[in-house]
Each structure stands twice: as C-alpha cells, then as structure tokens.
Amino acid sequence: MQNKFGDMLKKLIQFTNIKLNVIAYHIGYDISYISKWANNTSQPTKKHIERINDTLSSIFAEEIIHKDYAYLFLKEFNIHEPLPTKDIQRFLHTQINNLLNNAYYCSHENFSHSQSNNDIILNSTTIVGRTNIYEFFCHKLAPIINKITPKLEIFITMDILTLLQQKKFFSFLDCCNLTDRQIDIHIGCNLSTLANSNEKLIYSLYKFLNKYFYVNFYIYEDKFFNNSNIFLVKNAFAIQYSLHLDKSIDICTFINNEKIINEIQKRISDTFFNSPIILQPKKEIILNSFHPFFYLNKNFTIFITNGFEFFLPKKSYLKMIDLCKQQNLTDETIASLKNLQIM
C-alpha cells in the first residue's frame, strides 16, 4: 500500500503514462498543482478530494481500458479481486478511487504511523457527520489499532452485508498494518438480509473476505445484538454509534474509560460467543473425511479458500491456467497449479 497520496498518484500516472496537462484539464487545476501533489509537497483540500479522486479514477480507468492494461493493473497494484466479465471500466474506477481515497486519508496531516504509544491518547469524544467519522477512523483509530500487539480482536455488532453496501466503512483497514500479527474480527450477519441477498451482494462478501484473507473473520447470527450499535477493540476502546435511515453511521461516540470498556467488553463478547456462528476460518481440513462429505452433502461448506481448491473439475483448472497465462504469471506458478489437479 502506498502511504502517501502523492506516491499513489505518481504511480498511477507512471503506469498509465498520462500527461500532467491532460489530468489538469480534466480536473480543472493548473498543472503546477498536479506536480506538487505527485511530489508530496502539497495535497488537495478535504473539501474537494472526493470530486478530484472521482475524476482521476475515470481518467485512469479509461486509459487502462484503452491500453488493455486491466490485468497488469491488478498485478501492479496488488489487487486480489478477479476481473469481472462486464463493466470492467466501472470496476477499475472503483478500485482506483479506493486506492486514491485510502492513500489520501492515510497520509493526511493528522495521521502518522510513527506515533508512539504515549503519543496516541484520545479523550472520549463525539463525532458528527459521515465524512468526519470516516476521517476519524482513518486518522485517529488506525494508529491506535496499529499499536495493539500481539493479537488484535475487534467486535462489530452491525450486519456485515449492510456495512459492505456502505463501501467506505471498512476503508480504515487499509490504513492499518494487518499482516504482522493475529487479527480476529467478530461481526454480525442478519439472516433475513442474507436469505434475500442477490448474487451481487454475496459476491461482494466473497471479494471482501478475499481481499482481507489474512484476517480471521468470525461471522455470527446477529439476532441477539443487532441493535447494540457497538464497535469494540478489545482492551483498547469502544465506539457507540447511531444510524441514519440509509444505515450509514452519522453520529458516534468514542469511549476510552477503562471501567466502561470492560463492562461493554464482557456483555458484547458473551453475546457474540453465545450466538450461532455462520462462518469461521479453518486452518486445515481432514482430507479423508472432507472429500466424500464435500460431494455428498448439499450444505454449503467452503465459502473461500486461501489458495487453489483442488477438488475442482478439469474444466475449472483449464480456465484457471488460461487466466494465469493472461495475467503473465510465471511458468513455475502454472506448473504448480497443474500439479494440484486431480485427473
């Protein structure tokens, strides 16, 4: 992940080879501003950043399509989501917009990864407004989360499918170091929403879990805590929030009082662990019992795997091998995939 907005902007410019004067024309700024942004000597204002990033995303996505760089883009920017068969430009626009927004908010002047534990002290406070809340999560909470070791445990009582539709909620994860320790996230899921979900929403859940495959997500039926409105980082802080009619968070209160956190922690963790679990990570499976169960049982057992699933038919392997070739993966990788295949 690029830590600075300018670094990400420069990388996109170099990747697409778009001229600065073209960018300046489309976003309505003098070319000197674009140059300063790309060199990290200044940044766009928060007031205009969303419009600027949206326009930049359109320019870069269009150029990537024009040059047929879509697969190269996913590889270059370490994006682990498969390229869709339709609306590729819209997909690219979304990915680029996320990259730019995350880089901007992670590099904002109030955000610093170099703060020490003693520096990161927040008093209890209330934040109003979606943009302010988004910035608070990225600027203030991410540095605190980054200092929690050796294990980070988060409880979120809101329905994961609803949060995925909010798009920006989980962006704070991109401002956190997630690969250097064990991370467990316990989160709710509304079974009615799940049952009535269309294919697109289920696919968004798949893509989300694939993007953060190094995080252990435990998803529970939220029947007993769906109105709690709590975001809790164990032994660190709690956030209580209220929801707008569209289910977005528009007011939240940060709580760091140790006594209150302990009380919330006990109630929330007990409620989670006494709720039916819908999905959980498994480090390994017992193959001799799993193989017949996989084919004979109608229940959905595996949702996502880290790596290639080797109980797939031959046609699936041929398709994956062809995709690897399109993405210019090494012959060694393709050979390894072929070796997994059961004839």
Side-chain angles (χ1 to χ4, degrees):
M1 182 187 71
Q2 299 291 306
N3 292 323
K4 295 181 179 179
F5 175 77
D7 294 337
M8 181 59 68
L9 178 59
K10 180 183 287 186
K11 186 175 180 179
L12 285 163
I13 292 171
Q14 292 173 343
F15 180 77
T16 56
N17 200 28
I18 293 180
K19 303 297 183 184
L20 294 187
N21 62 331
V22 174
I23 295 174
Y25 172 78
H26 282 284
I27 66 174
Y29 278 75
D30 187 82
I31 192 172
S32 62
Y33 282 89
I34 315 301
S35 179
K36 289 178 181 178
W37 297 344
N39 290 305
N40 289 309
T41 56
S42 70
Q43 288 189 354
T45 62
K46 288 187 289 183
K47 181 179 180 181
H48 300 295
I49 189 61
E50 291 193 9
R51 179 190 66 80
I52 291 171
N53 283 347
D54 184 67
T55 305
L56 288 171
S57 300
S58 296
I59 299 169
F60 291 132
E62 185 176 347
E63 188 66 16
I64 290 170
I65 292 292
H66 176 70
K67 293 183 175 178
D68 197 21
Y69 280 0
Y71 285 112
L72 290 175
F73 167 76
L74 297 182
K75 184 178 180 180
E76 180 68 21
F77 289 85
N78 198 29
I79 295 172
H80 301 290
E81 298 187 26
L83 196 68
T85 55
K86 298 179 180 179
D87 295 328
I88 296 178
Q89 188 163 333
R90 181 183 298 177
F91 168 81
L92 292 173
H93 179 282
T94 300
Q95 297 301 323
I96 295 168
N97 200 36
N98 288 340
L99 289 171
L100 289 169
N101 280 330
N102 292 335
Y104 178 81
Y105 287 113
C106 287
S107 63
H108 192 266
E109 61 184 359
N110 292 326
F111 179 86
S112 172
H113 283 290
S114 62
Q115 291 171 295
S116 67
N117 277 316
N118 292 331
D119 293 329
I120 307 174
I121 300 175
L122 290 179
N123 296 320
S124 295
T125 185
T126 298
I127 306 94
V128 180
R130 302 178 200 186
T131 301
N132 292 333
I133 291 171
Y134 175 69
E135 293 176 9
F136 180 79
F137 268 72
C138 290
H139 301 168
K140 301 294 186 181
L141 299 189
I144 298 176
I145 291 173
N146 283 334
K147 297 297 180 181
I148 299 174
T149 56
K151 178 182 177 181
L152 172 65
E153 196 164 7
I154 300 175
F155 293 83
I156 306 172
T157 62
M158 196 167 174
D159 171 40
I160 187 170
L161 297 175
T162 301
L163 287 173
L164 286 175
Q165 294 178 82
Q166 303 301 325
K167 296 182 180 179
K168 282 189 175 183
F169 178 83
F170 287 107
S171 294
F172 77 94
L173 290 175
D174 297 316
C175 296
C176 299
N177 299 323
L178 301 176
T179 58
D180 58 351
R181 60 205 149 147
Q182 179 181 337
I183 301 174
D184 295 344
I185 296 182
H186 306 270
I187 192 167
C189 180
N190 186 285
L191 290 185
S192 296
T193 303
L194 181 63
N196 296 317
S197 296
N198 55 35
E199 210 171 275
K200 185 177 180 181
L201 186 55
I202 297 298
Y203 183 54
S204 69
L205 176 60
Y206 177 89
K207 290 195 298 181
F208 172 75
L209 295 176
N210 185 64
K211 179 179 180 181
Y212 300 108
F213 66 88
Y214 35 76
V215 176
N216 298 321
F217 281 95
Y218 296 83
I219 303 179
Y220 305 79
E221 180 183 354
D222 69 352
K223 179 179 178 181
F224 301 110
F225 56 78
N226 61 349
N227 292 318
S228 298
N229 294 359
I230 292 291
F231 178 102
L232 170 73
V233 175
K234 189 174 181 179
N235 299 326
F237 63 83
I239 291 177
Q240 188 170 35
Y241 55 84
S242 66
L243 301 176
H244 193 263
L245 290 175
D246 63 1
K247 299 296 183 181
S248 62
I249 300 175
D250 61 356
I251 302 175
C252 72
T253 298
F254 174 83
I255 303 167
N256 66 351
N257 181 283
E258 185 176 353
K259 184 177 180 181
I260 296 176
I261 291 172
N262 289 337
E263 183 63 29
I264 294 174
Q265 194 166 287
K266 183 179 184 308
R267 291 175 181 241
I268 291 298
S269 60
D270 287 349
T271 306
F272 266 91
F273 296 143
N274 286 312
S275 298
I277 191 160
I278 299 172
L279 185 147
Q280 62 182 320
K282 290 288 185 181
K283 296 298 182 184
E284 59 184 18
I285 55 176
I286 302 173
L287 297 182
N288 59 358
S289 61
F290 173 76
H291 189 277
F293 179 81
F294 180 81
Y295 285 106
L296 297 176
N297 197 299
K298 294 182 179 180
N299 293 327
F300 199 67
T301 307
I302 293 180
F303 187 61
I304 189 171
T305 57
N306 178 13
F308 291 110
E309 171 57 59
F310 50 86
F311 292 119
L312 295 175
K314 184 176 180 179
K315 286 184 178 180
S316 297
Y317 272 95
L318 294 176
K319 187 174 181 180
M320 286 193 292
I321 291 169
D322 183 58
L323 187 61
C324 288
K325 291 177 180 178
Q326 291 179 36
Q327 296 190 27
N328 297 318
L329 298 183
T330 64
D331 292 338
E332 184 180 350
T333 301
I334 295 173
S336 298
L337 174 58
K338 290 179 178 178
N339 290 335
L340 288 173
Q341 182 177 345
I342 298 176
M343 302 302 292

